[in-house]
Amino acid sequence: MIVQTLEGRRAFIRDNTRLQAPPHTPELKLHLADEVTPIWKLTEEALEEIGLPPPFWAFAWAGGQALARYVLDHPEIVAGKRVIDFATGSGIVAVAAMKAGAASVLAADIDVFCEAAVGLNAQANGVEIAFTDQNLLTAPPPQADVLLAGDICYERPMAEAVMAWLRQGHAAGARVLIGDPGRTYFPKEGLEKLAEYQVPTTRELEDLAVKRTSVWTLP
């Protein structure tokens, strides 16, 4: 299994996913895994050999689906603007922003597999998306009009770091939107709820087949 190159990672994604529409954003097409266990087990075995990270990019998580839905339904938020999609994963939110008319989108994720996933998913939806695997949390947010972040509050240290980074970007003039399905470490204080959705997911990924998921902003 040769995944040390971008093309190798693209091939791995093509071989282990299927082009399909996420349930909450049927107008988008993404390379997603049909089941969690086979690809996760495969990567655990590969991890011992080559350090393959867990394939978060292979699934449309609830927070990302909700945020993508909100952006598609409210294109004026991103239309003609510079957008950063933090912790992009599959790139679902980045794709939605470009489909909604963003001038540019920078998709950021420290997992280099996301570069391959975002590239394939952008191509499948007829858009162009820039990508960086740099850890953006080590510096103030790059200049942008809109900062988007879905499913960022799995762990307390990461949640605190990302929220501080987003607040820094907001203070510099960027609009901030966050998608979250009620993760333990999501801080609702100081945030304004924009929308709430019932997002279909799978019990393999979440504790419920349908997750109540909200989109929030920094007022």
Side-chain angles (χ1 to χ4, degrees), residues 88-100:
T88 192
S90 67
I92 181 173
V93 177
V95 170
M98 285 303 296
K99 295 288 281 187

Side-chain angles (χ1 to χ4, degrees), residues 126-173:
V127 297
E128 292 186 7
I129 297 170
F131 179 86
T132 180
D133 62 2
Q134 297 300 305
N135 181 3
L136 297 187
L137 298 182
T138 62
Q143 287 192 344
D145 303 304
V146 183
L147 299 176
L148 304 174
D151 297 291
I152 54 171
C153 293
Y154 289 97
E155 301 174 348
R156 186 190 298 275
M158 175 59 73
E160 292 176 349
V162 176
M163 289 306 302
W165 185 83
L166 291 172
R167 292 183 189 281
Q168 195 173 10
H170 181 253

Side-chain angles (χ1 to χ4, degrees), residues 19-57:
L19 192 62
Q20 54 189 290
H24 208 58
T25 56
E27 59 267 67
L28 304 183
K29 302 293 184 188
L30 301 177
H31 292 266
L32 302 173
D34 287 312
E35 297 179 77
V36 173
T37 304
I39 189 171
W40 216 280
K41 185 174 181 180
L42 174 65
T43 55
E44 284 182 355
E45 294 170 353
L47 181 62
E48 298 178 3
E49 301 176 8
I50 56 175
L52 186 66
F56 294 109
W57 46 264

Side-chain angles (χ1 to χ4, degrees), residues 80-111:
K81 296 177 181 175
R82 300 164 299 168
V83 177
I84 295 176
D85 178 29
F86 181 83
T88 192
S90 67
I92 181 173
V93 177
V95 170
M98 285 303 296
K99 295 288 281 187
S104 65
V105 175
L106 174 63
D109 205 295
I110 58 173
D111 181 356

